[in-house]
Amino acid sequence: MRKLFFCFICRCTLLCLAWLPASLQAKECTNIVAKAVSIQGVVEMRSTSSSIWKKVTLQKNFCAGDWVRTQANSRAALYLNNNSILRLNEFSTVTFTGLSSQGASWLNLKQGIGHFISRITQRFEVITPYVNAAVDGTEFVVAVDNKHTTVTVLEGQVRASNDHGEISLTQGETAIAYAGESPALQTQIHPWNAVNWALYYPAISDFSALNKSELPEPWSTHLTQSLEYYRQGDTAAALAKLQLLPQDLPNDNIYLYRAALQLATGQIQPASTYLDQSLQHNANNGEALALKAIIAVVQNQTDRGLKLAHDAIKVSPETTAAWLALSYAHQATFDLKQARLNVEQAIKLTPHNALAWARLAELHLMFGELDRALQAAHRATEIAPRLARSQSVLGFAHLINMDINAAKQAFNQAIIFDQAAPLSRLGLGLAMIRDGHLAAGRRQIEVAASLAPTNSLIRSYLGKAYYEEKRGPLDATQFSMAKELDPNDPTPWFYDAIRKQTENRPIEALQDLEKSTQLNDNRAVYRSRLLLDEDQAARSVSLARVYQDLGFTQRARLEAWKSLNYNPGNFSAHRFLADSYAGQPRHEIARTSELLQSQLLQPININPIQPQLTQSNLAIAGNAGPAKLSFNEFNSSFVRDRLMLRIDGVMGSNGTWGENLIFSAVKDNMSFNIGQYQFKTNGYRKNDDLEQNIYNLFGQMAVNNKTNLQIEIRKEETQAGDITLFFNDVHRPNLREKIEQKVTRFGAHYRPTPQQDIIISTIYFDREESEKDLTFAPPPNPQVGVTQTLVSEEGYNAEIQHQFRGGRFNTIAGAGYVNTDGNSNRSRVILEHINGPVRLRSSQPSKLDT
């Protein structure tokens, strides 16, 4: 009896230990070498001290010596502790033997395919059974099977070596190594084909028709369960249930379903085989042609994709998937208007199709119609709560609306629903950067690049992130890859031009900007026709800045004016003109007017307003010190929470010196800057001194994506002698002038639709100006005269302007009201001495009311 009781206690103890959390069963390692950032299908791991394989989940940490493997139709993305990303294809096995975050590191790829994005400066080596790949900050693919190893370099350099030889590879080159042989160079016409397995293919069908398939039991039950898993985003479980059905089951829809599941895991060959089998049974199967169109579009075969989508519509005009495929094809050819019409037709056919509503939300977002995008995304979420695409659109909508927390929550939810979707990673990265976490956001964009290696847009954003981190030449490399992947995308050309401009390479920047302008209409992802206009205006502004750097001032202004012709609401163009007018004679009114319009139209940004720009009649030498502006980037790569302090100054002869101190900050939906400007000189002649002080406080708040509010407070103090130059050389050596002015301004910007802007400005000012002069008359009638003038003025003005941008014309209409009260007092006192005592004679003061 005691023995039985003892056995019962032991079994209970073992059962309890089995149910304990992993953190309590074994001590977690302190040296974490990798983390799972994307899991698709069945991915397993085991430690060196165990022979049991355990299923891996998202955010799982791995220790030194751990093994990781992927099963059939499975993929994984791992973030390594040396700031590299490893993407594994199905049937891949890797062990973390020597990863280090400090110095040289290595890992073993036992079998399968791995795509590496490495951004480290230390040595990193991938060990395989047939050849080792040593890299130094590059991107490459290693494929291992039971006969040989293949290494393909997508960017940078890799040294492939084994006991029999060594070869160095550069971008676009491939080496192959067999057992007992040295690695040899292999011709590769399309090196990017090495990552075709890693591409992401959007779903276009919910396969609701399969619910009506008349299959005998238990096949019908297996199919129903598979569809349920598919709609929940669990592709591995859906495939597992589907494999219980006979492979040769003669059902066109099931062939299509198998193909869609294979596409979801990046397996092109089996997917194409199933599609061909479906078309063999029914050559007029519209859904099969639609899926083939999606494959062509994702692989940048745009013309073929468009033709296949039209063929799908022709043979099956009532198929929702065909219209969705045609929508993607038209987007690939940059016809967004037609793409949206295609989706609207799909919704007419199937009003309860969540994929169609999510796709419509994407297109509304591309047209800048945030409200309609949110409505469509919420509708998709109501129909299918676990649809990742609708959550991703919600995230981008919240990001535009500057609700960062809601955006991150939506993107994280989308990642949970579909860990292989790249746009949700891109969105999460942008949200993190907007929240002030540049490095963390950049890592998310690197993961997005791993999930969609051939996506030009993601490459451009990754280059922008490296640019913001000052990590050249990584930024230039990403822009170059984006240009190669999509020669029709102007984005990498535009941002590469900005990079070259900041590196003082204006000629090359000019060439890239001109190329970007030529390709301007070739932007399709999350861009609208209106936003294309805004992009074209922004390009003109940057082009103007390059011309100015080259000394072509007038040509620069022509480009800025052209920008305003494209889009009168482009704040960058107004700001550039304000800068270009600084120091130019008789341009004070134009400068302050352009600056005011720029301020009213600008979004939340970190670029401060220089205090001296807000004032007219500044007696500063052109291009001297604080008057010389150096903001080369008017289209910030990433607006994010941060602080910035800017100090500059000038010093010269005759006691001349000046300084400009500006502190600016961005936090959530608010930005502000505090500026102080001072300029002082003794002049080159008597009583030619000048001292100016300007103080500026500016605050801005984005209430939502449509409404911005502003407040600005300025104070100016000026003291000077006679600094005016006349042709007749009249000089007053005793003249003293003093000016004190205070200005308070309130502004508002409202954008009811993407085509309209309404700006409102109200200004209150209080100005006092005094002048005192002492004159002498020589004998025989000597006298001394003291003249004093005091002018005070206060008032306010209110203005409103409406801008409309149509397809072929722009209109600007506005109204204003001005009210000013002021007075001027002038007095003159004359001291006379005529052979006797001094007499005081005063003239009658005058008063002028306005």
Side-chain angles (χ1 to χ4, degrees):
M1 189 69 181
R2 287 183 178 179
K3 187 175 182 179
L4 291 174
F5 180 75
F6 178 76
C7 292
F8 175 76
I9 294 298
C10 290
R11 289 188 177 184
C12 290
T13 303
L14 291 174
L15 185 62
C16 292
L17 289 174
W19 280 94
L20 282 174
S23 59
L24 296 179
Q25 293 181 45
K27 185 178 180 180
E28 188 78 24
C29 67
T30 57
N31 182 23
I32 297 174
V33 298
K35 174 181 289 189
V37 294
S38 175
I39 299 297
Q40 192 176 17
V42 179
V43 180
E44 299 172 321
M45 63 85 64
R46 70 174 177 86
S47 63
T48 54
S49 60
S50 173
S51 60
I52 300 175
W53 290 91
K54 301 177 182 179
K55 192 172 182 180
V56 174
T57 57
L58 188 65
Q59 301 299 321
K60 170 64 179 176
N61 292 327
F62 303 100
C63 303
D66 285 352
W67 290 64
V68 177
R69 70 182 183 186
T70 56
Q71 298 287 12
N73 301 309
S74 303
R75 295 181 293 185
L78 312 176
Y79 204 97
L80 311 182
N81 68 337
N82 63 359
N83 294 320
S84 299
I85 298 177
L86 167 60
R87 186 92 187 278
L88 294 173
N89 193 16
E90 64 172 352
F91 300 122
S92 298
T93 302
V94 65
T95 177
F96 306 116
T97 53
L99 283 177
S100 172
S101 60
Q102 303 298 326
S105 60
W106 63 91
L107 58 78
N108 287 49
L109 182 64
K110 299 296 185 180
Q111 66 177 11
I113 304 177
H115 172 219
F116 295 82
I117 299 179
S118 174
R119 300 294 178 234
I120 62 174
T121 56
Q122 298 88 0
R123 180 181 176 86
F124 178 35
E125 189 169 3
V126 179
I127 300 173
T128 75
Y130 307 108
V131 70
N132 300 336
V135 303
D136 184 10
T138 187
E139 184 171 343
F140 62 103
V141 179
V142 179
V144 183
D145 60 21
N146 56 3
K147 294 182 179 180
H148 63 272
T149 295
T150 303
V151 180
T152 301
V153 180
L154 302 178
E155 170 260 314
Q157 293 183 340
V158 173
R159 182 173 57 85
S161 63
N162 57 21
D163 294 337
H164 304 278
E166 177 181 309
I167 187 173
S168 294
L169 305 174
T170 59
Q171 182 173 343
E173 292 183 335
T174 299
I176 186 169
Y178 290 89
E181 298 180 10
S182 63
L185 191 66
Q186 185 183 50
T187 302
Q188 187 73 269
I189 299 177
H190 301 291
W192 285 101
N193 287 342
V195 291
N196 272 348
W197 57 271
L199 301 182
Y200 180 80
Y201 298 87
I204 56 173
S205 177
D206 59 1
F207 296 100
S208 56
L210 280 178
N211 292 327
K212 302 176 184 178
S213 299
E214 297 180 359
L215 296 177
E217 292 292 349
W219 297 347
S220 178
T221 300
H222 294 328
L223 180 60
T224 301
Q225 292 174 343
S226 176
L227 284 169
E228 185 63 28
Y229 284 126
Y230 172 72
R231 287 162 188 158
Q232 293 177 2
D234 192 343
T235 307
L239 278 167
K241 284 295 181 182
L242 192 62
Q243 288 172 356
L244 299 176
L245 275 66
Q247 290 291 324
D248 57 349
L249 193 65
N251 187 304
D252 293 344
N253 289 329
I254 293 181
Y255 281 131
L256 290 174
Y257 182 45
R258 292 183 190 273
L261 289 177
Q262 296 292 337
L263 280 182
T265 57
Q267 307 307 317
I268 303 300
Q269 282 301 121
S272 299
T273 300
Y274 286 129
L275 290 176
D276 291 340
Q277 290 175 336
S278 176
L279 289 172
Q280 287 175 4
H281 285 85
N282 181 10
N284 293 328
N285 192 317
E287 286 202 31
L289 293 172
L291 282 175
K292 280 184 168 290
I294 287 296
I295 295 175
V297 168
V298 172
Q299 295 183 355
N300 289 326
Q301 301 172 14
T302 308
D303 294 337
R304 183 170 184 269
L306 188 61
K307 181 182 182 304
L308 286 168
H310 277 298
D311 290 344
I313 295 295
K314 183 177 180 180
V315 300
S316 185
E318 302 300 319
T319 303
T320 302
W323 288 102
L324 290 179
L326 185 59
S327 171
Y328 282 107
H330 275 133
Q331 177 181 343
T333 59
F334 316 112
D335 189 351
L336 297 181
K337 185 175 182 180
Q338 190 61 47
R340 184 164 63 175
L341 291 175
N342 298 148
V343 179
E344 290 172 348
Q345 180 62 30
I347 291 177
K348 288 181 181 178
L349 294 172
T350 52
H352 299 288
N353 189 304
L355 290 172
W357 280 105
R359 176 68 178 147
L360 182 61
E362 288 179 349
L363 286 160
H364 282 321
L365 202 60
M366 295 176 200
F367 281 91
E369 299 170 350
L370 181 59
D371 293 339
R372 299 180 68 183
L374 284 171
Q375 292 174 1
H378 284 304
R379 177 62 179 143
T381 304
E382 291 173 1
I383 299 172
R386 295 182 58 85
L387 186 62
R389 191 181 304 170
S390 60
Q391 292 294 333
S392 181
V393 174
L394 284 174
F396 278 104
H398 289 311
L399 189 59
I400 294 173
N401 207 26
M402 283 175 290
D403 191 346
I404 308 303
N405 291 330
K408 289 194 291 186
Q409 183 178 355
F411 288 131
N412 281 317
Q413 196 71 22
I415 291 170
I416 293 174
F417 293 157
D418 187 356
Q419 297 182 33
L423 280 183
S424 54
R425 292 285 183 176
L426 172 63
L428 181 59
L430 295 178
M432 288 180 170
I433 292 172
R434 178 63 183 83
D435 208 23
H437 306 291
L438 179 58
R442 181 257 306 157
R443 285 193 289 269
Q444 290 295 332
I445 300 177
E446 286 177 332
V447 174
S450 176
L451 298 176
T454 62
N455 190 301
S456 172
L457 178 77
I458 293 175
R459 293 289 181 177
S460 296
Y461 273 100
L462 184 55
K464 289 163 63 178
Y466 289 142
Y467 172 82
E468 287 290 316
E469 290 185 306
K470 311 265 189 311
R471 296 179 65 186
L474 289 178
D475 50 359
T477 300
Q478 293 301 313
F479 295 142
S480 177
M481 295 172 72
K483 294 173 186 177
E484 177 188 354
L485 291 168
D486 189 355
N488 293 322
D489 186 358
T491 312
W493 295 93
F494 178 48
Y495 285 102
D496 202 20
I498 292 176
R499 179 189 65 84
K500 291 175 180 176
Q501 183 185 357
T502 57
E503 294 178 354
N504 197 24
R505 297 159 61 187
I507 299 297
E508 297 172 80
L510 179 61
Q511 294 171 346
D512 282 0
L513 276 171
E514 289 177 342
K515 180 68 173 179
S516 175
T517 302
Q518 293 173 7
L519 299 172
N520 191 78
D521 287 340
N522 296 335
R523 180 86 71 82
V525 182
Y526 287 101
R527 292 295 188 192
S528 69
R529 173 66 252 178
L530 176 70
L531 292 178
L532 289 174
D533 293 336
E534 292 179 349
D535 291 338
Q536 193 164 351
R539 282 168 175 75
S540 294
V541 176
S542 297
L543 194 61
R545 173 59 74 184
V546 173
Y547 279 129
Q548 188 179 56
D549 289 346
L550 292 171
F552 303 147
T553 306
Q554 189 59 31
R555 179 63 186 271
R557 290 178 188 158
L558 287 175
E559 288 296 329
W561 293 331
K562 185 190 297 184
S563 172
L564 290 178
N565 286 334
Y566 286 127
N567 180 9
N570 183 272
F571 79 97
S572 298
H574 290 290
R575 177 68 184 274
F576 176 83
L577 284 177
D579 289 354
S580 66
Y581 290 150
Q584 296 294 317
R586 298 183 298 276
H587 282 75
E588 291 84 358
I589 295 177
R591 173 171 55 79
T592 54
S593 173
E594 292 295 335
L595 178 67
L596 176 60
Q597 293 181 74
S598 173
Q599 287 180 288
L600 290 170
L601 290 166
Q602 73 181 12
I604 298 295
N605 71 96
I606 193 66
N607 285 340
I609 299 296
Q610 299 94 322
Q612 72 271 22
L613 272 184
T614 62
Q615 300 296 125
S616 59
N617 299 318
L618 294 180
I620 309 174
N623 298 328
K628 177 62 176 175
L629 309 174
S630 58
F631 295 123
N632 294 320
E633 168 64 287
F634 287 89
N635 305 277
S636 178
S637 297
F638 298 110
V639 177
R640 62 186 186 275
D641 289 358
R642 57 174 174 155
L643 306 175
M644 186 172 74
L645 178 64
R646 177 185 175 90
I647 304 175
D648 55 22
V650 63
M651 183 173 292
S653 58
N654 298 320
T656 301
W657 65 275
E659 53 87 12
N660 204 8
L661 175 64
I662 309 173
F663 174 76
S664 57
V666 172
K667 177 63 177 175
D668 297 333
N669 64 333
M670 294 183 292
S671 65
F672 75 92
N673 67 74
I674 302 172
Q676 184 263 332
Y677 162 81
Q678 185 174 14
F679 184 78
K680 187 175 183 179
T681 181
N682 294 332
Y684 66 91
R685 62 182 180 179
K686 183 180 179 181
N687 196 40
D688 194 34
D689 62 292
L690 167 70
E691 181 177 357
Q692 289 182 314
N693 290 278
I694 303 174
Y695 306 92
N696 183 67
L697 171 63
F698 175 80
Q700 181 174 354
M701 181 179 69
V703 179
N704 50 47
N705 67 299
K706 294 182 178 181
T707 307
N708 266 273
L709 302 178
Q710 300 177 356
I711 182 172
E712 183 177 12
I713 301 174
R714 299 196 304 266
K715 182 180 180 181
E716 176 193 8
E717 296 175 347
T718 302
Q719 297 185 41
D722 185 13
I723 60 176
T724 306
L725 298 177
F726 295 98
F727 287 107
N728 57 4
D729 198 26
V730 174
H731 179 57
R732 294 181 289 179
N734 300 300
L735 175 67
R736 302 303 300 172
E737 293 181 308
K738 183 177 181 181
I739 301 174
E740 183 173 322
Q741 179 171 273
K742 300 176 184 177
V743 176
T744 302
R745 180 181 68 84
F746 295 94
H749 174 208
Y750 177 62
R751 175 170 284 190
T753 67
Q755 294 80 21
Q756 299 182 76
D757 286 289
I758 299 174
I759 53 178
I760 300 172
S761 174
T762 60
I763 300 176
Y764 171 80
F765 63 92
D766 184 359
R767 178 183 176 92
E768 290 187 358
E769 182 175 351
S770 65
E771 178 181 299
K772 183 183 292 185
D773 193 10
L774 181 65
T775 59
F776 298 90
N781 297 314
Q783 66 178 24
V784 178
V786 179
T787 303
Q788 182 168 334
T789 303
L790 178 63
V791 178
S792 62
E793 189 178 28
E794 66 174 338
Y796 64 90
N797 66 65
E799 297 176 282
I800 183 171
Q801 184 182 100
H802 177 267
Q803 298 179 4
F804 176 79
R805 295 175 293 279
R808 297 183 179 180
F809 65 92
N810 300 323
T811 63
I812 300 176
Y817 176 79
V818 179
N819 184 290
T820 303
D821 293 322
N823 62 75
S824 174
N825 288 288
R826 180 182 179 87
S827 62
R828 179 175 176 80
V829 178
I830 300 176
L831 300 176
E832 294 183 341
H833 182 270
I834 304 176
N835 298 324
V838 175
R839 295 187 302 168
L840 177 64
R841 188 175 67 192
S842 176
S843 63
Q844 181 67 31
S846 64
K847 182 176 182 181
L848 175 64
D849 292 327
T850 304

